[in-house]
Each structure stands twice: as C-alpha cells, then as structure tokens.
Amino acid sequence: MRSMKQRPFNMALFFLALADRTRLRLLSLIGEDEVCVCFLVEVLQTSQPKISRHLAYLRRAGLVSTRRQGKWMHYRVTLPPELHAKRIFEQVMIWLKNEPEMQRDRGRLVSLCCSPRPPLQIQGAPRPASIAG
C-alpha cells in the first residue's frame, strides 16, 4: 500500500527527465555524492534559477532528493522505485560516467573543490564527500 504522499511512478516523466542534456549533466555531476547546488551552478556556468528548475524537474521525476544544511541546498541521486526504471537508470548512470563531456564536467567539479581559492559563491560550501576526503 502506498502512503498518501507517494505518487505512482510516472514513466513518461522519467523518460522526459532523462531527455535533456543539462539534466543528464546534473545527474552525472551528482553521481554517488551529495552535491551543493552552488557547485553545480559553478561547474555548468549556468544561472542558479535555471539549474534549480532542472533539479526540480529531476526531483518531480523521483531521480534526486534534497537536504538543506543552513543556507546550502544539497542534491543526491535516488533510484526510481519501479524495477524496470531502476535498471534503465543504473545503465544511464554508467553510460554518463564514460561520456567525455561528463568526465570534463566532473574534472571541473574536482578542480573547484580542491582549489585553494574557490570562487566567492562556493567559499565555505560543504564539498562532496568523495572529493573532500
């Protein structure tokens, strides 16, 4: 039995969420980490409202979840609850890891996180665990 808050899985929304290059780049950047939205904005060199709209779309599709920490909003990839969608999504994530553009994005994220002088917008932001450690 589903809880009152949980909506039935929406296959069309799932595929539409994956049908956008920026959303794929966001999913790839987040990967297995929890990433502050400020890093996503900085890496993709796109406005915060545009990134937030794409993240909201991914959230509606059930592919990311959020956590607020003070003024920082963090995003984490979540697996779809539907078995077939989960399998497809896992394969898409593997594919993204091997795409040159996505690898360049990840390299920029690592550089930003490891920079001794990060841009003002991300100074003090919590770094993704896989990079911070």
Side-chain angles (χ1 to χ4, degrees):
M1 185 187 293
R2 293 186 183 273
S3 70
M4 293 295 262
K5 283 187 152 197
Q6 192 176 17
R7 290 173 279 166
F9 183 77
N10 184 325
M11 185 188 326
L13 184 58
F14 170 75
F15 283 108
L16 286 169
L18 297 177
D20 181 88
R21 180 175 165 258
T22 300
R23 289 193 288 271
L24 291 173
R25 290 176 76 192
L26 288 167
L27 289 169
S28 176
L29 277 169
I30 298 167
E32 296 174 10
D33 284 313
E34 184 177 75
V35 180
C36 178
V37 70
C38 61
F39 283 108
L40 302 172
V41 168
E42 200 62 35
V43 169
L44 297 183
Q45 292 293 292
T46 304
S47 72
Q48 188 273 327
K50 182 177 179 181
I51 295 294
S52 291
R53 278 193 306 275
H54 283 293
L55 290 166
Y57 200 104
L58 291 169
R59 190 173 180 192
R60 281 191 305 277
L63 300 179
V64 297
S65 59
T66 60
R67 180 180 66 84
R68 181 173 290 283
Q69 178 184 0
K71 68 177 183 173
W72 310 109
M73 183 63 81
H74 300 272
Y75 287 83
R76 173 177 293 284
V77 170
T78 56
L79 292 175
E82 203 282 328
L83 179 63
H84 298 297
K86 179 181 175 184
R87 287 180 186 157
I88 291 167
F89 187 67
E90 288 171 336
Q91 290 302 306
V92 166
M93 293 302 288
I94 290 168
W95 188 0
L96 291 175
K97 275 186 182 178
N98 293 300
E99 280 295 308
E101 178 184 28
M102 306 303 167
Q103 291 172 345
R104 284 190 299 275
D105 286 348
R106 187 69 179 178
R108 282 194 295 276
L109 177 63
V110 170
S111 292
L112 277 172
C113 289
C114 297
S115 172
R117 291 187 180 185
L120 188 59
Q121 306 85 283
I122 61 173
Q123 287 181 3
R127 293 183 294 176
S130 71
I131 299 169

